[in-house]
Amino acid sequence: MNELFDITIIGGGPAGLYSAFYSGLREMKTKIIESQDTLGGKVRIYPEKRIWDVGGLKPILAQEFCENLIEQGLTFNPTVCLNQKVETIDKDENLFVITTEDGNRHYTKAVILANGGGIITPQKLEVEGAQKYELKNLHYTVGRLERFRGRHVLISGGGNTAVDWAVELMYVAKSVTVIYRKEELSAHEAQVKKLQENGVNIILNAKITCLHPNEEKDCIDAVEIAVNGSHQRVEVDDVLINHGYQRESSVSFTPGLEPKKQGEYFESTGKGALSTEGLFAAGDNIVYDGKVYLLLGAFQDAVNAVNSAKQYIDPSSYPSGMVSSHNEVFKARNEKLIREQHGVPILSESV
């Protein structure tokens, strides 16, 4: 039989990574299965966005936060399976059997679903020839802001993500134009106000109808937009598209095993447990009274899910993990850090 794990976590974003950390802290054999080719989840969509609302952290770029989160999540060396999309979850007596798209079968005592809204794929621009420029100057996410310095940028979209991009880019781009198909932007008022106060060109009731290429440079030279029945040409260096995301659930269950749901969300007890015994969840895929859909909420969900899973596996275990300052699993690691701090030779490399 394949190797057996105590906990298998589906999803390698913030909720999944903190679940892996806390599962290791509670001395359980842990595996992460992630459908993408890297860990980090949705945080990777906005690498240069500043995160302010995580307790104990100064404002930090999402990219740096993501790197720290991954390092923390791998503290206790969980097994990590990347590029493996989960197809089904089944149960064989007291063990769960997770089958991935490549045919691999993973055996585990408990499962934590930390896959958020599922696999996220940007909605593509439905204009003839658009795909040709995706590796040129047509973008569906913002990587490095510096890439857009001194350039004329057009952003299509009016939700929070599109407007957040516009706010970030107005400090580095030569010009920013935002077009949106509706009568007003749907983003947070404070961000919209920033655009207005800084003279960002906002065109409403508008959509891209045609891309005009620069044949010599093989890139987009201008876009044609329809505005209230008329057409307008806008010269551009870069086009950013944020028309939302397609969400594909990466988990299905054999008959009788699927937990109860409210719409797209799994019903949770608030302690991470789902209606199917042995299944737990953390992050944006669950609903319960008092649920917080922020990073800090994902971390609390992770702790609750792991503690509940621990007691499911071992009913005699303590209901929560010991704080790190008194936890034996950190004793050797703390010793190593103290020795490094004071320049004292490290006695063993086993930590």
Side-chain angles (χ1 to χ4, degrees):
M1 188 175 74
N2 288 357
E3 189 175 3
L4 177 63
F5 287 79
D6 293 318
I7 288 182
T8 296
I9 300 161
I10 299 175
L17 286 166
Y18 200 73
S19 294
F21 167 75
Y22 208 78
S23 177
L25 182 148
R26 299 226 59 188
E27 301 183 84
M28 289 189 283
K29 187 176 180 180
T30 307
K31 175 184 281 187
I32 301 172
I33 302 177
E34 167 57 48
S35 62
Q36 304 295 319
D37 61 2
T38 187
L39 298 170
K42 286 191 296 185
V43 179
R44 288 197 174 277
I45 297 175
Y46 319 101
E48 296 199 23
K49 187 173 182 178
R50 293 190 184 278
I51 297 173
W52 287 76
D53 55 357
V54 177
L57 282 183
K58 295 179 181 179
I60 184 173
L61 290 178
Q63 178 64 37
E64 183 182 354
F65 174 78
C66 192
E67 291 168 359
N68 293 344
L69 192 61
I70 292 170
E71 183 177 350
Q72 181 187 51
L74 302 182
T75 298
F76 298 102
N77 301 313
T79 295
V80 178
C81 303
L82 299 176
N83 284 317
Q84 293 204 31
K85 178 185 173 184
V86 172
E87 284 200 332
T88 59
I89 297 178
D90 197 0
K91 200 170 186 181
D92 183 7
E93 295 183 355
N94 292 324
L95 298 181
F96 289 93
V97 183
I98 300 170
T99 304
T100 50
E101 196 173 43
D102 56 9
N104 285 328
R105 291 162 69 86
H106 306 261
Y107 295 85
T108 185
K109 298 176 184 177
V111 178
I112 294 180
L113 301 170
N115 56 323
I119 300 170
I120 299 174
T121 306
Q123 296 272 14
K124 296 299 183 76
L125 176 64
E126 295 182 356
V127 171
E128 185 178 353
Q131 186 176 358
K132 176 182 178 182
Y133 302 107
E134 289 181 10
L135 298 178
K136 305 292 183 177
N137 60 339
L138 176 65
H139 315 275
Y140 291 98
T141 188
V142 174
R144 294 179 61 253
L145 291 174
E146 197 62 29
R147 160 75 174 77
F148 302 94
R149 182 168 295 280
R151 295 171 69 84
H152 297 285
V153 181
L154 181 139
I155 299 174
S156 179
N160 287 317
T161 299
V163 170
D164 285 350
W165 285 348
V167 170
E168 295 283 343
L169 287 168
M170 69 186 187
Y171 298 107
V172 296
K174 190 168 185 177
S175 72
V176 176
T177 297
V178 176
I179 70 168
Y180 191 42
R181 60 187 174 85
K182 296 184 179 181
E183 293 185 354
E184 60 181 35
L185 299 176
S186 58
H188 294 301
E189 291 180 1
Q191 292 292 80
V192 173
K193 187 177 180 180
K194 283 183 183 179
L195 297 185
Q196 295 168 338
E197 290 176 344
N198 285 273
V200 170
N201 185 26
I202 301 172
I203 306 174
L204 300 173
N205 296 311
K207 68 176 183 178
I208 297 173
T209 57
C210 181
L211 302 175
H212 296 286
N214 182 318
E215 300 292 353
E216 184 179 335
K217 295 182 179 179
D218 193 26
C219 64
I220 301 168
D221 202 40
V223 299
E224 186 172 312
I225 60 175
V227 187
N228 291 321
S230 64
H231 290 267
Q232 182 177 333
R233 179 184 171 104
V234 181
E235 306 292 326
V236 298
D237 294 315
D238 291 283
V239 178
L240 269 165
I241 304 297
N242 185 260
H243 294 170
Y245 297 90
Q246 296 175 332
R247 296 179 182 272
E248 177 189 352
S249 175
S250 59
V251 181
S252 61
F253 302 85
T254 54
L257 202 62
E258 182 170 9
K260 292 180 181 177
K261 300 180 82 172
Q262 288 186 30
E264 296 299 315
Y265 299 95
F266 293 111
E267 291 185 5
S268 171
T269 60
K271 291 286 185 72
L274 303 182
S275 60
T276 303
E277 192 174 59
L279 292 182
F280 306 87
D284 289 348
N285 59 348
I286 58 174
V287 61
Y288 58 85
D289 287 345
K291 166 64 182 166
V292 177
Y293 293 96
L294 296 171
L295 286 169
L296 59 92
F299 299 149
Q300 181 174 352
D301 290 344
V303 172
N304 285 332
V306 170
N307 284 335
S308 294
K310 177 73 174 181
Q311 287 207 294
Y312 166 75
I313 294 168
D314 179 9
S316 66
S317 65
Y318 197 72
S320 61
M322 188 176 290
V323 296
S324 61
S325 56
H326 297 97
N327 198 310
E328 283 295 312
V329 301
F330 291 113
K331 185 175 180 180
R333 296 169 188 268
N334 284 331
E335 174 74 13
K336 181 180 179 181
L337 290 172
I338 291 170
R339 286 178 173 274
E340 288 176 345
Q341 179 184 352
H342 296 289
V344 178
I346 297 171
L347 300 178
S348 172
E349 291 296 331
S350 62
V351 296

